[in-house]
Amino acid sequence: MGVCSAFLERKNIVLSAKRYGVDALGAMAQGLFCSLLIGTILDTLGKQLGIAFLVTVGGYASAMSGSAMAVAIGYALQAPPLVLFSLATVGYAANALGSVTLSGGKGAGGPLAVLFIAVIAAELGKAVSKETKIDILVTPLVTILAGVGLSALLAPAIGTAASAVGDVVKWATVLQPFWMGILVSVVIGVALTLPISSAAICAAIGLTGLAGGAAVAGCCANMVGFAVLSFRENRWGGLVSQGLGTSMLQMGNIVRNPRIWLPAILTSAITGPLATCLFRLEMNDPASAVASGMGTIGVYAGWVNDVATGAKAAITSLDWVGLALICFVLPAVLCWLFGLFFRRIGWIKEGDLTLE
């Protein structure tokens, strides 16, 4: 036992919830932000503004999301260079194979597969690093073979499990708008912040129309909500990275103190039914099933599509008011108010929302 502990310590392999659930998870969120989310924003801007170059760049960035997440995880685990560089292949494989199910359909577990498999591959690579005279061959081989092998064995199952979340959302969409608004908003908001692909879940089940509007409400409740809730800790940098980027950046803090998630969840439970019952906010862009799981990106495009197809006479002032309230004003105000209450009763303490 002592020999094993000494070996792990020498290799900087720390088997702890903090190392994997906080450090690795937080880094993975940054990798996702710097690839898929930035890519989607550029792609959408390029299509709306007619700038082909932005569409191209966005496609390249999104395609590298698996590699970016895996390398970020390796960096958080303090992997040596050969392991870190090898994780680019592991992340690509895990993300690609996690995006299919055991039945061969489209899955939603790419990022979740990357998290589990990249952690294992990184630690195995660290274990053999510099243990032989041919380290330049052994370390990349072990890291890549272990990572890709695990991806082939586990990633489709992870994709199937993540897609089960989509089944819950699909069930919620057949309910009446009020309850659907609550359930879809909360579930998709939670999925947006978790290391699973809320965009893929929405795409896999075709989450458009009113259900897409509820999904947008949940996404904004988490993104804008956390941005405002954590403003005293993270200031303007945190406001931009979470409000325009992803609330997944808070996952490490959520693992440490799950109560910090309550303001965003409660906010989404309020804004969801408002979106479906009062403002009738819908996502009807041809690509809106993906955008439903990422925030406000596809709302305007959906309006334009509705006008072009004759489903909508024009974009009205009520549309703009609903968009502003559901996506920006209410998430900011409600989450801030809920946050004040939870700070006052001691459930959220100073520093609990600080981004590293």
Side-chain angles (χ1 to χ4, degrees):
M1 188 66 177
V3 174
C4 181
S5 298
F7 176 79
L8 293 177
E9 182 177 358
R10 179 166 64 86
K11 289 296 181 178
N12 190 23
I13 298 175
V14 181
L15 306 178
S16 71
K18 179 182 181 302
R19 177 63 73 95
Y20 303 134
V22 177
D23 298 341
L25 193 58
M28 192 199 80
Q30 296 181 50
L32 182 66
F33 175 77
C34 293
S35 53
L36 179 61
L37 296 186
I38 287 294
T40 301
I41 291 171
L42 290 174
D43 178 75
T44 301
L45 287 174
K47 289 177 179 177
Q48 294 302 315
L49 299 176
I51 304 175
F53 177 71
L54 292 182
V55 176
T56 301
V57 175
Y60 289 148
S62 297
M64 295 307 297
S65 59
S67 298
M69 287 185 285
V71 171
I73 289 169
Y75 178 81
L77 298 180
Q78 301 174 21
L82 289 178
V83 176
L84 189 65
F85 306 148
S86 300
L87 286 173
T89 300
V90 175
Y92 182 87
N95 191 50
L97 293 172
S99 298
V100 299
T101 65
L102 293 173
S103 61
K106 188 173 182 180
L112 190 60
V114 172
L115 175 63
F116 283 108
I117 293 168
V119 164
I120 297 172
E123 298 295 43
L124 290 175
K126 287 164 62 177
V128 301
S129 177
K130 299 181 181 178
E131 291 295 312
T132 68
K133 294 183 179 180
I134 51 173
D135 184 57
I136 189 68
L137 292 176
V138 172
T139 297
L141 281 173
V142 169
T143 305
I144 292 173
L145 288 176
V148 176
L150 286 171
S151 297
L153 289 172
L154 301 178
I158 295 174
T160 299
S163 293
V165 177
D167 292 337
V168 175
V169 180
K170 189 173 183 179
W171 168 74
T173 60
V174 303
L175 299 178
Q176 56 183 300
F178 179 80
W179 297 110
M180 181 200 73
I182 295 175
L183 290 173
V184 172
S185 182
V186 170
V187 169
I188 296 300
V190 167
L192 177 84
T193 302
L194 286 172
I196 60 179
S197 176
S198 57
I201 290 173
C202 292
I205 63 175
L207 201 65
T208 56
L210 279 180
V216 169
C219 291
C220 293
N222 279 261
M223 294 167 63
V224 177
F226 269 118
V228 173
L229 182 66
S230 67
F231 184 77
R232 67 170 68 178
E233 285 91 355
N234 301 307
R235 309 306 294 176
W236 295 106
L239 188 75
V240 172
S241 62
Q242 294 170 95
L244 297 180
T246 174
S247 55
M248 197 185 295
L249 295 172
Q250 284 289 348
M251 266 313 301
N253 291 329
I254 290 172
V255 171
R256 282 189 287 261
N257 179 12
R259 290 170 173 174
I260 67 172
W261 210 347
L262 288 175
I265 291 174
L266 292 173
T267 297
S268 64
I270 294 173
T271 58
L274 287 176
T276 56
C277 297
L278 180 59
F279 296 107
R280 308 291 295 179
L281 185 65
E282 296 188 14
M283 294 287 285
N284 291 322
D285 177 60
S288 64
V290 173
S292 295
M294 302 188 72
T296 61
I297 293 175
V299 176
Y300 178 75
W303 290 343
V304 173
N305 181 70
D306 283 349
V307 172
T309 59
K312 188 180 187 70
I315 301 174
T316 67
S317 57
L318 183 61
D319 290 330
W320 289 109
V321 170
L323 179 67
L325 288 175
I326 296 299
C327 296
F328 302 104
V329 178
L330 289 177
V333 173
L334 290 175
C335 210
W336 177 70
L337 290 174
F338 283 129
L340 284 181
F341 172 74
F342 288 122
R343 287 180 191 271
R344 183 165 297 178
I345 66 175
W347 283 17
I348 298 177
K349 296 181 175 62
E350 198 71 28
D352 280 351
L353 292 148
T354 300
L355 297 177
E356 296 180 359

